[in-house]
Amino acid sequence: GQQLNQSPQSMFIQEGEDVSMNCTSSSIFNTWLWYKQEPGEGPVLLIALYKAGELTSNGRLTAQFGITRKDSFLNISASIPSDVGIYFCAGLPLGAGGTSYGKLTFGQGTILTVHP
Amino acid sequence: NAGVTQTPKFQVLKTGQSMTLQCAQDMNHEYMSWYRQDPGMGLRLIHYSVGAGITDQGEVPNGYNVSRSTTEDFPLRLLSAAPSQTSVYFCASSRVSPAYGYTFGSGTRLTVV
């Protein structure tokens, strides 16, 4: 099946620093999503991307859909303690249609720790 | 509150036992899915449904069964529990398509001893 490689696996940063993480695939994707999961909860959608080259912001978060359609990036500016959690990329491959829309694939996650 | 409700939140099973994880949503969503989350492996798709009466396999379907008799409910059945099924299970739903984002439940933590 589809595989998404997410890096880094974990990050330990100081409050106020910027954060970057990325996700790559060997296949072409037509949708990229970024989620955040806090302890004891399910993931929550942060940003959705639908076009190659698209750059979308949500507050201090900015995500980009890579022009090759095989990667995506998430940046967090001026991190704060509440940014702690696991960040996941997820995607739907090019050509997904019909029942294949149900096959949303997730990366392994990036564990973010922010020190005050 | 509207959303995805999973029960139970915690469960311990003995090897070989069977059980059903319940998932219900009250948002009239067509798409529903079950994922399992294991450390370092992210979320892996077990089964999904694009509407009542329609289900399909995901990445790791072995040992699990699903059915979708109503729009609201999507139970996950473990036929004969194995230690390898120790995991956190998440149910998710989406109205139009997962491409617009899933709403996730808060999870069921299952331990098989």
Side-chain angles (χ1 to χ4, degrees):
Chain A
Q2 302 293 336
Q3 281 196 326
L4 297 182
N5 296 311
Q6 191 171 345
S7 65
Q9 289 188 345
S10 62
M11 303 183 73
F12 299 84
I13 63 171
Q14 292 292 130
E15 182 177 359
E17 290 183 357
D18 296 342
V19 173
S20 291
M21 59 191 77
N22 69 81
C23 204
T24 61
S25 170
S26 58
S27 303
I28 293 174
F29 276 59
N30 66 4
T31 298
W32 286 98
L33 306 172
W34 285 91
Y35 284 83
K36 178 188 179 185
Q37 183 183 30
E38 297 188 1
E41 299 296 329
V44 174
L45 182 67
L46 298 174
I47 293 178
L49 302 159
Y50 302 109
K51 295 181 182 179
E54 180 181 357
L55 188 71
T56 298
S57 294
N58 178 5
R60 293 178 295 105
L61 278 61
T62 301
Q64 184 163 23
F65 192 141
I67 58 173
T68 66
R69 291 181 170 268
K70 293 184 178 181
D71 55 11
S72 180
F73 305 86
L74 176 69
N75 295 316
I76 305 173
S77 62
S79 59
I80 59 177
S82 61
D83 289 334
V84 165
I86 305 177
Y87 291 80
F88 291 102
C89 63
L92 283 170
L94 187 67
T99 59
S100 292
Y101 271 126
K103 286 189 172 181
L104 188 66
T105 300
F106 281 78
Q108 305 98 319
T110 295
I111 302 172
L112 179 64
T113 303
V114 180
H115 295 287
Chain B
N1 292 334
V4 179
T5 303
Q6 290 185 238
T7 56
K9 291 189 71 68
F10 302 94
Q11 183 71 50
V12 179
L13 289 179
K14 293 183 179 179
T15 298
Q17 286 185 318
S18 62
M19 81 160 293
T20 299
L21 306 185
Q22 302 291 343
C23 176
Q25 53 89 10
D26 57 2
M27 298 173 286
N28 201 32
H29 285 179
E30 290 296 323
Y31 288 81
M32 296 186 75
S33 293
W34 278 101
Y35 287 87
R36 59 177 290 174
Q37 183 176 18
D38 303 291
M41 303 191 75
L43 293 157
R44 292 182 293 169
L45 181 64
I46 304 172
H47 286 285
Y48 66 100
S49 169
V50 300
I54 306 171
T55 64
D56 204 349
Q57 295 182 351
E59 181 184 355
V60 288
N62 292 341
Y64 307 95
N65 274 357
V66 293
S67 60
R68 184 95 180 272
S69 57
T70 67
T71 299
E72 293 77 21
D73 301 299
F74 191 42
L76 178 72
R77 283 180 286 276
L78 279 70
L79 309 174
S80 177
S84 61
Q85 293 179 304
T86 294
S87 187
V88 181
Y89 292 84
F90 287 99
C91 179
S93 73
S94 177
R95 182 176 64 86
V96 175
S97 161
Y100 296 95
Y102 269 127
T103 298
F104 281 84
S106 57
T108 294
R109 183 174 294 275
L110 175 68
T111 302
V112 182
V113 297

mmCIF file with all atom_site columns, all heavy atoms in Angstrom, chain B residues 31-51:
data_model
loop_
_atom_site.group_PDB
_atom_site.id
_atom_site.type_symbol
_atom_site.label_atom_id
_atom_site.label_alt_id
_atom_site.label_comp_id
_atom_site.label_asym_id
_atom_site.label_entity_id
_atom_site.label_seq_id
_atom_site.pdbx_PDB_ins_code
_atom_site.Cartn_x
_atom_site.Cartn_y
_atom_site.Cartn_z
_atom_site.occupancy
_atom_site.B_iso_or_equiv
_atom_site.pdbx_formal_charge
_atom_site.auth_seq_id
_atom_site.auth_comp_id
_atom_site.auth_asym_id
_atom_site.auth_atom_id
_atom_site.pdbx_PDB_model_num
ATOM 1   N N   . TYR B 1 31 ? -18.705 8.672  5.234  1.00 0.00 ? 31 TYR B N   1
ATOM 2   C CA  . TYR B 1 31 ? -17.447 7.952  5.331  1.00 0.00 ? 31 TYR B CA  1
ATOM 3   C C   . TYR B 1 31 ? -17.121 7.671  6.799  1.00 0.00 ? 31 TYR B C   1
ATOM 4   O O   . TYR B 1 31 ? -17.175 8.566  7.643  1.00 0.00 ? 31 TYR B O   1
ATOM 5   C CB  . TYR B 1 31 ? -16.295 8.769  4.734  1.00 0.00 ? 31 TYR B CB  1
ATOM 6   C CG  . TYR B 1 31 ? -16.326 8.863  3.243  1.00 0.00 ? 31 TYR B CG  1
ATOM 7   C CD1 . TYR B 1 31 ? -17.142 9.778  2.594  1.00 0.00 ? 31 TYR B CD1 1
ATOM 8   C CD2 . TYR B 1 31 ? -15.519 8.035  2.462  1.00 0.00 ? 31 TYR B CD2 1
ATOM 9   C CE1 . TYR B 1 31 ? -17.167 9.865  1.213  1.00 0.00 ? 31 TYR B CE1 1
ATOM 10  C CE2 . TYR B 1 31 ? -15.536 8.119  1.089  1.00 0.00 ? 31 TYR B CE2 1
ATOM 11  C CZ  . TYR B 1 31 ? -16.360 9.036  0.465  1.00 0.00 ? 31 TYR B CZ  1
ATOM 12  O OH  . TYR B 1 31 ? -16.374 9.106  -0.894 1.00 0.00 ? 31 TYR B OH  1
ATOM 13  N N   . MET B 1 32 ? -16.757 6.422  7.092  1.00 0.00 ? 32 MET B N   1
ATOM 14  C CA  . MET B 1 32 ? -16.280 6.052  8.418  1.00 0.00 ? 32 MET B CA  1
ATOM 15  C C   . MET B 1 32 ? -15.125 5.082  8.277  1.00 0.00 ? 32 MET B C   1
ATOM 16  O O   . MET B 1 32 ? -15.075 4.283  7.335  1.00 0.00 ? 32 MET B O   1
ATOM 17  C CB  . MET B 1 32 ? -17.398 5.426  9.262  1.00 0.00 ? 32 MET B CB  1
ATOM 18  C CG  . MET B 1 32 ? -18.550 6.384  9.552  1.00 0.00 ? 32 MET B CG  1
ATOM 19  S SD  . MET B 1 32 ? -19.777 5.718  10.689 1.00 0.00 ? 32 MET B SD  1
ATOM 20  C CE  . MET B 1 32 ? -18.901 5.854  12.264 1.00 0.00 ? 32 MET B CE  1
ATOM 21  N N   . SER B 1 33 ? -14.187 5.171  9.222  1.00 0.00 ? 33 SER B N   1
ATOM 22  C CA  . SER B 1 33 ? -12.987 4.335  9.150  1.00 0.00 ? 33 SER B CA  1
ATOM 23  C C   . SER B 1 33 ? -12.535 3.923  10.541 1.00 0.00 ? 33 SER B C   1
ATOM 24  O O   . SER B 1 33 ? -12.851 4.597  11.520 1.00 0.00 ? 33 SER B O   1
ATOM 25  C CB  . SER B 1 33 ? -11.840 5.095  8.484  1.00 0.00 ? 33 SER B CB  1
ATOM 26  O OG  . SER B 1 33 ? -12.087 5.344  7.131  1.00 0.00 ? 33 SER B OG  1
ATOM 27  N N   . TRP B 1 34 ? -11.804 2.846  10.587 1.00 0.00 ? 34 TRP B N   1
ATOM 28  C CA  . TRP B 1 34 ? -11.117 2.409  11.793 1.00 0.00 ? 34 TRP B CA  1
ATOM 29  C C   . TRP B 1 34 ? -9.613  2.403  11.538 1.00 0.00 ? 34 TRP B C   1
ATOM 30  O O   . TRP B 1 34 ? -9.147  1.856  10.524 1.00 0.00 ? 34 TRP B O   1
ATOM 31  C CB  . TRP B 1 34 ? -11.547 0.992  12.199 1.00 0.00 ? 34 TRP B CB  1
ATOM 32  C CG  . TRP B 1 34 ? -12.822 0.939  12.968 1.00 0.00 ? 34 TRP B CG  1
ATOM 33  C CD1 . TRP B 1 34 ? -14.050 0.615  12.496 1.00 0.00 ? 34 TRP B CD1 1
ATOM 34  C CD2 . TRP B 1 34 ? -12.971 1.204  14.365 1.00 0.00 ? 34 TRP B CD2 1
ATOM 35  N NE1 . TRP B 1 34 ? -14.966 0.669  13.517 1.00 0.00 ? 34 TRP B NE1 1
ATOM 36  C CE2 . TRP B 1 34 ? -14.333 1.026  14.675 1.00 0.00 ? 34 TRP B CE2 1
ATOM 37  C CE3 . TRP B 1 34 ? -12.091 1.574  15.388 1.00 0.00 ? 34 TRP B CE3 1
ATOM 38  C CZ2 . TRP B 1 34 ? -14.842 1.209  15.964 1.00 0.00 ? 34 TRP B CZ2 1
ATOM 39  C CZ3 . TRP B 1 34 ? -12.591 1.752  16.654 1.00 0.00 ? 34 TRP B CZ3 1
ATOM 40  C CH2 . TRP B 1 34 ? -13.945 1.564  16.940 1.00 0.00 ? 34 TRP B CH2 1
ATOM 41  N N   . TYR B 1 35 ? -8.888  3.022  12.475 1.00 0.00 ? 35 TYR B N   1
ATOM 42  C CA  . TYR B 1 35 ? -7.426  3.028  12.435 1.00 0.00 ? 35 TYR B CA  1
ATOM 43  C C   . TYR B 1 35 ? -6.901  2.442  13.751 1.00 0.00 ? 35 TYR B C   1
ATOM 44  O O   . TYR B 1 35 ? -7.547  2.537  14.788 1.00 0.00 ? 35 TYR B O   1
ATOM 45  C CB  . TYR B 1 35 ? -6.887  4.455  12.307 1.00 0.00 ? 35 TYR B CB  1
ATOM 46  C CG  . TYR B 1 35 ? -7.073  5.082  10.955 1.00 0.00 ? 35 TYR B CG  1
ATOM 47  C CD1 . TYR B 1 35 ? -8.252  5.752  10.633 1.00 0.00 ? 35 TYR B CD1 1
ATOM 48  C CD2 . TYR B 1 35 ? -6.059  5.028  10.001 1.00 0.00 ? 35 TYR B CD2 1
ATOM 49  C CE1 . TYR B 1 35 ? -8.414  6.344  9.386  1.00 0.00 ? 35 TYR B CE1 1
ATOM 50  C CE2 . TYR B 1 35 ? -6.216  5.627  8.755  1.00 0.00 ? 35 TYR B CE2 1
ATOM 51  C CZ  . TYR B 1 35 ? -7.396  6.285  8.462  1.00 0.00 ? 35 TYR B CZ  1
ATOM 52  O OH  . TYR B 1 35 ? -7.550  6.862  7.229  1.00 0.00 ? 35 TYR B OH  1
ATOM 53  N N   . ARG B 1 36 ? -5.701  1.883  13.684 1.00 0.00 ? 36 ARG B N   1
ATOM 54  C CA  . ARG B 1 36 ? -4.995  1.525  14.896 1.00 0.00 ? 36 ARG B CA  1
ATOM 55  C C   . ARG B 1 36 ? -3.713  2.344  14.970 1.00 0.00 ? 36 ARG B C   1
ATOM 56  O O   . ARG B 1 36 ? -3.095  2.650  13.930 1.00 0.00 ? 36 ARG B O   1
ATOM 57  C CB  . ARG B 1 36 ? -4.691  0.031  14.980 1.00 0.00 ? 36 ARG B CB  1
ATOM 58  C CG  . ARG B 1 36 ? -3.850  -0.559 13.867 1.00 0.00 ? 36 ARG B CG  1
ATOM 59  C CD  . ARG B 1 36 ? -3.557  -2.047 14.113 1.00 0.00 ? 36 ARG B CD  1
ATOM 60  N NE  . ARG B 1 36 ? -2.632  -2.233 15.221 1.00 0.00 ? 36 ARG B NE  1
ATOM 61  C CZ  . ARG B 1 36 ? -2.288  -3.427 15.723 1.00 0.00 ? 36 ARG B CZ  1
ATOM 62  N NH1 . ARG B 1 36 ? -2.813  -4.533 15.225 1.00 0.00 ? 36 ARG B NH1 1
ATOM 63  N NH2 . ARG B 1 36 ? -1.445  -3.517 16.740 1.00 0.00 ? 36 ARG B NH2 1
ATOM 64  N N   . GLN B 1 37 ? -3.346  2.726  16.184 1.00 0.00 ? 37 GLN B N   1
ATOM 65  C CA  . GLN B 1 37 ? -2.157  3.529  16.379 1.00 0.00 ? 37 GLN B CA  1
ATOM 66  C C   . GLN B 1 37 ? -1.180  2.789  17.259 1.00 0.00 ? 37 GLN B C   1
ATOM 67  O O   . GLN B 1 37 ? -1.506  2.420  18.397 1.00 0.00 ? 37 GLN B O   1
ATOM 68  C CB  . GLN B 1 37 ? -2.501  4.886  17.017 1.00 0.00 ? 37 GLN B CB  1
ATOM 69  C CG  . GLN B 1 37 ? -1.299  5.787  17.183 1.00 0.00 ? 37 GLN B CG  1
ATOM 70  C CD  . GLN B 1 37 ? -1.654  7.149  17.725 1.00 0.00 ? 37 GLN B CD  1
ATOM 71  O OE1 . GLN B 1 37 ? -2.719  7.363  18.298 1.00 0.00 ? 37 GLN B OE1 1
ATOM 72  N NE2 . GLN B 1 37 ? -0.770  8.115  17.532 1.00 0.00 ? 37 GLN B NE2 1
ATOM 73  N N   . ASP B 1 38 ? 0.006   2.575  16.746 1.00 0.00 ? 38 ASP B N   1
ATOM 74  C CA  . ASP B 1 38 ? 1.079   1.920  17.476 1.00 0.00 ? 38 ASP B CA  1
ATOM 75  C C   . ASP B 1 38 ? 2.303   2.830  17.467 1.00 0.00 ? 38 ASP B C   1
ATOM 76  O O   . ASP B 1 38 ? 2.533   3.546  16.489 1.00 0.00 ? 38 ASP B O   1
ATOM 77  C CB  . ASP B 1 38 ? 1.419   0.578  16.829 1.00 0.00 ? 38 ASP B CB  1
ATOM 78  C CG  . ASP B 1 38 ? 0.214   -0.339 16.760 1.00 0.00 ? 38 ASP B CG  1
ATOM 79  O OD1 . ASP B 1 38 ? -0.217  -0.796 17.835 1.00 0.00 ? 38 ASP B OD1 1
ATOM 80  O OD2 . ASP B 1 38 ? -0.309  -0.565 15.652 1.00 0.00 ? 38 ASP B OD2 1
ATOM 81  N N   . PRO B 1 39 ? 3.095   2.813  18.532 1.00 0.00 ? 39 PRO B N   1
ATOM 82  C CA  . PRO B 1 39 ? 4.268   3.709  18.626 1.00 0.00 ? 39 PRO B CA  1
ATOM 83  C C   . PRO B 1 39 ? 5.177   3.587  17.405 1.00 0.00 ? 39 PRO B C   1
ATOM 84  O O   . PRO B 1 39 ? 5.559   2.477  17.014 1.00 0.00 ? 39 PRO B O   1
ATOM 85  C CB  . PRO B 1 39 ? 4.963   3.230  19.904 1.00 0.00 ? 39 PRO B CB  1
ATOM 86  C CG  . PRO B 1 39 ? 3.883   2.635  20.731 1.00 0.00 ? 39 PRO B CG  1
ATOM 87  C CD  . PRO B 1 39 ? 2.952   1.979  19.741 1.00 0.00 ? 39 PRO B CD  1
ATOM 88  N N   . GLY B 1 40 ? 5.533   4.719  16.830 1.00 0.00 ? 40 GLY B N   1
ATOM 89  C CA  . GLY B 1 40 ? 6.456   4.748  15.708 1.00 0.00 ? 40 GLY B CA  1
ATOM 90  C C   . GLY B 1 40 ? 5.873   4.328  14.375 1.00 0.00 ? 40 GLY B C   1
ATOM 91  O O   . GLY B 1 40 ? 6.567   4.337  13.362 1.00 0.00 ? 40 GLY B O   1
ATOM 92  N N   . MET B 1 41 ? 4.580   3.951  14.367 1.00 0.00 ? 41 MET B N   1
ATOM 93  C CA  . MET B 1 41 ? 3.979   3.465  13.119 1.00 0.00 ? 41 MET B CA  1
ATOM 94  C C   . MET B 1 41 ? 2.825   4.319  12.655 1.00 0.00 ? 41 MET B C   1
ATOM 95  O O   . MET B 1 41 ? 2.172   4.014  11.662 1.00 0.00 ? 41 MET B O   1
ATOM 96  C CB  . MET B 1 41 ? 3.536   2.017  13.288 1.00 0.00 ? 41 MET B CB  1
ATOM 97  C CG  . MET B 1 41 ? 4.675   1.090  13.699 1.00 0.00 ? 41 MET B CG  1
ATOM 98  S SD  . MET B 1 41 ? 4.253   -0.628 13.611 1.00 0.00 ? 41 MET B SD  1
ATOM 99  C CE  . MET B 1 41 ? 4.285   -0.881 11.847 1.00 0.00 ? 41 MET B CE  1
ATOM 100 N N   . GLY B 1 42 ? 2.547   5.371  13.358 1.00 0.00 ? 42 GLY B N   1
ATOM 101 C CA  . GLY B 1 42 ? 1.466   6.248  12.946 1.00 0.00 ? 42 GLY B CA  1
ATOM 102 C C   . GLY B 1 42 ? 0.109   5.583  13.045 1.00 0.00 ? 42 GLY B C   1
ATOM 103 O O   . GLY B 1 42 ? -0.110  4.696  13.862 1.00 0.00 ? 42 GLY B O   1
ATOM 104 N N   . LEU B 1 43 ? -0.785  6.013  12.196 1.00 0.00 ? 43 LEU B N   1
ATOM 105 C CA  . LEU B 1 43 ? -2.141  5.469  12.156 1.00 0.00 ? 43 LEU B CA  1
ATOM 106 C C   . LEU B 1 43 ? -2.257  4.585  10.920 1.00 0.00 ? 43 LEU B C   1
ATOM 107 O O   . LEU B 1 43 ? -1.989  5.022  9.803  1.00 0.00 ? 43 LEU B O   1
ATOM 108 C CB  . LEU B 1 43 ? -3.157  6.602  12.068 1.00 0.00 ? 43 LEU B CB  1
ATOM 109 C CG  . LEU B 1 43 ? -3.248  7.495  13.292 1.00 0.00 ? 43 LEU B CG  1
ATOM 110 C CD1 . LEU B 1 43 ? -3.807  8.854  12.935 1.00 0.00 ? 43 LEU B CD1 1
ATOM 111 C CD2 . LEU B 1 43 ? -4.121  6.829  14.343 1.00 0.00 ? 43 LEU B CD2 1
ATOM 112 N N   . ARG B 1 44 ? -2.673  3.362  11.138 1.00 0.00 ? 44 ARG B N   1
ATOM 113 C CA  . ARG B 1 44 ? -2.822  2.432  10.016 1.00 0.00 ? 44 ARG B CA  1
ATOM 114 C C   . ARG B 1 44 ? -4.285  2.052  9.847  1.00 0.00 ? 44 ARG B C   1
ATOM 115 O O   . ARG B 1 44 ? -4.966  1.710  10.810 1.00 0.00 ? 44 ARG B O   1
ATOM 116 C CB  . ARG B 1 44 ? -1.966  1.184  10.244 1.00 0.00 ? 44 ARG B CB  1
ATOM 117 C CG  . ARG B 1 44 ? -0.465  1.457  10.180 1.00 0.00 ? 44 ARG B CG  1
ATOM 118 C CD  . ARG B 1 44 ? 0.333   0.181  10.352 1.00 0.00 ? 44 ARG B CD  1
ATOM 119 N NE  . ARG B 1 44 ? 0.190   -0.370 11.696 1.00 0.00 ? 44 ARG B NE  1
ATOM 120 C CZ  . ARG B 1 44 ? 0.606   -1.578 12.049 1.00 0.00 ? 44 ARG B CZ  1
ATOM 121 N NH1 . ARG B 1 44 ? 1.150   -2.386 11.160 1.00 0.00 ? 44 ARG B NH1 1
ATOM 122 N NH2 . ARG B 1 44 ? 0.464   -2.000 13.302 1.00 0.00 ? 44 ARG B NH2 1
ATOM 123 N N   . LEU B 1 45 ? -4.735  2.096  8.603  1.00 0.00 ? 45 LEU B N   1
ATOM 124 C CA  . LEU B 1 45 ? -6.140  1.875  8.286  1.00 0.00 ? 45 LEU B CA  1
ATOM 125 C C   . LEU B 1 45 ? -6.487  0.392  8.355  1.00 0.00 ? 45 LEU B C   1
ATOM 126 O O   . LEU B 1 45 ? -5.829  -0.438 7.719  1.00 0.00 ? 45 LEU B O   1
ATOM 127 C CB  . LEU B 1 45 ? -6.436  2.428  6.887  1.00 0.00 ? 45 LEU B CB  1
ATOM 128 C CG  . LEU B 1 45 ? -7.858  2.324  6.380  1.00 0.00 ? 45 LEU B CG  1
ATOM 129 C CD1 . LEU B 1 45 ? -8.812  3.154  7.247  1.00 0.00 ? 45 LEU B CD1 1
ATOM 130 C CD2 . LEU B 1 45 ? -7.929  2.783  4.929  1.00 0.00 ? 45 LEU B CD2 1
ATOM 131 N N   . ILE B 1 46 ? -7.544  0.065  9.106  1.00 0.00 ? 46 ILE B N   1
ATOM 132 C CA  . ILE B 1 46 ? -7.965  -1.328 9.255  1.00 0.00 ? 46 ILE B CA  1
ATOM 133 C C   . ILE B 1 46 ? -9.081  -1.639 8.251  1.00 0.00 ? 46 ILE B C   1
ATOM 134 O O   . ILE B 1 46 ? -8.950  -2.520 7.400  1.00 0.00 ? 46 ILE B O   1
ATOM 135 C CB  . ILE B 1 46 ? -8.464  -1.601 10.688 1.00 0.00 ? 46 ILE B CB  1
ATOM 136 C CG1 . ILE B 1 46 ? -7.394  -1.224 11.719 1.00 0.00 ? 46 ILE B CG1 1
ATOM 137 C CG2 . ILE B 1 46 ? -8.846  -3.075 10.843 1.00 0.00 ? 46 ILE B CG2 1
ATOM 138 C CD1 . ILE B 1 46 ? -7.894  -1.281 13.153 1.00 0.00 ? 46 ILE B CD1 1
ATOM 139 N N   . HIS B 1 47 ? -10.196 -0.948 8.377  1.00 0.00 ? 47 HIS B N   1
ATOM 140 C CA  . HIS B 1 47 ? -11.327 -1.076 7.460  1.00 0.00 ? 47 HIS B CA  1
ATOM 141 C C   . HIS B 1 47 ? -11.959 0.297  7.315  1.00 0.00 ? 47 HIS B C   1
ATOM 142 O O   . HIS B 1 47 ? -11.825 1.150  8.177  1.00 0.00 ? 47 HIS B O   1
ATOM 143 C CB  . HIS B 1 47 ? -12.386 -2.043 8.006  1.00 0.00 ? 47 HIS B CB  1
ATOM 144 C CG  . HIS B 1 47 ? -12.025 -3.489 7.952  1.00 0.00 ? 47 HIS B CG  1
ATOM 145 N ND1 . HIS B 1 47 ? -12.040 -4.213 6.782  1.00 0.00 ? 47 HIS B ND1 1
ATOM 146 C CD2 . HIS B 1 47 ? -11.660 -4.343 8.920  1.00 0.00 ? 47 HIS B CD2 1
ATOM 147 C CE1 . HIS B 1 47 ? -11.698 -5.467 7.038  1.00 0.00 ? 47 HIS B CE1 1
ATOM 148 N NE2 . HIS B 1 47 ? -11.454 -5.577 8.334  1.00 0.00 ? 47 HIS B NE2 1
ATOM 149 N N   . TYR B 1 48 ? -12.685 0.471  6.228  1.00 0.00 ? 48 TYR B N   1
ATOM 150 C CA  . TYR B 1 48 ? -13.410 1.716  6.052  1.00 0.00 ? 48 TYR B CA  1
ATOM 151 C C   . TYR B 1 48 ? -14.725 1.459  5.333  1.00 0.00 ? 48 TYR B C   1
ATOM 152 O O   . TYR B 1 48 ? -14.954 0.381  4.769  1.00 0.00 ? 48 TYR B O   1
ATOM 153 C CB  . TYR B 1 48 ? -12.567 2.756  5.306  1.00 0.00 ? 48 TYR B CB  1
ATOM 154 C CG  . TYR B 1 48 ? -12.248 2.414  3.869  1.00 0.00 ? 48 TYR B CG  1
ATOM 155 C CD1 . TYR B 1 48 ? -12.975 2.968  2.822  1.00 0.00 ? 48 TYR B CD1 1
ATOM 156 C CD2 . TYR B 1 48 ? -11.202 1.557  3.554  1.00 0.00 ? 48 TYR B CD2 1
ATOM 157 C CE1 . TYR B 1 48 ? -12.685 2.667  1.510  1.00 0.00 ? 48 TYR B CE1 1
ATOM 158 C CE2 . TYR B 1 48 ? -10.900 1.251  2.240  1.00 0.00 ? 48 TYR B CE2 1
ATOM 159 C CZ  . TYR B 1 48 ? -11.629 1.808  1.225  1.00 0.00 ? 48 TYR B CZ  1
ATOM 160 O OH  . TYR B 1 48 ? -11.333 1.502  -0.079 1.00 0.00 ? 48 TYR B OH  1
ATOM 161 N N   . SER B 1 49 ? -15.592 2.470  5.376  1.00 0.00 ? 49 SER B N   1
ATOM 162 C CA  . SER B 1 49 ? -16.908 2.361  4.757  1.00 0.00 ? 49 SER B CA  1
ATOM 163 C C   . SER B 1 49 ? -17.245 3.689  4.093  1.00 0.00 ? 49 SER B C   1
ATOM 164 O O   . SER B 1 49 ? -17.021 4.749  4.673  1.00 0.00 ? 49 SER B O   1
ATOM 165 C CB  . SER B 1 49 ? -17.958 2.018  5.813  1.00 0.00 ? 49 SER B CB  1
ATOM 166 O OG  . SER B 1 49 ? -19.258 2.147  5.289  1.00 0.00 ? 49 SER B OG  1
ATOM 167 N N   . VAL B 1 50 ? -17.788 3.613  2.885  1.00 0.00 ? 50 VAL B N   1
ATOM 168 C CA  . VAL B 1 50 ? -18.181 4.840  2.179  1.00 0.00 ? 50 VAL B CA  1
ATOM 169 C C   . VAL B 1 50 ? -19.689 5.069  2.239  1.00 0.00 ? 50 VAL B C   1
ATOM 170 O O   . VAL B 1 50 ? -20.208 5.982  1.602  1.00 0.00 ? 50 VAL B O   1
ATOM 171 C CB  . VAL B 1 50 ? -17.694 4.829  0.712  1.00 0.00 ? 50 VAL B CB  1
ATOM 172 C CG1 . VAL B 1 50 ? -16.175 4.716  0.675  1.00 0.00 ? 50 VAL B CG1 1
ATOM 173 C CG2 . VAL B 1 50 ? -18.334 3.693  -0.062 1.00 0.00 ? 50 VAL B CG2 1
ATOM 174 N N   . GLY B 1 51 ? -20.371 4.235  2.996  1.00 0.00 ? 51 GLY B N   1
ATOM 175 C CA  . GLY B 1 51 ? -21.793 4.405  3.186  1.00 0.00 ? 51 GLY B CA  1
ATOM 176 C C   . GLY B 1 51 ? -22.394 3.140  3.752  1.00 0.00 ? 51 GLY B C   1
ATOM 177 O O   . GLY B 1 51 ? -21.745 2.086  3.788  1.00 0.00 ? 51 GLY B O   1
#
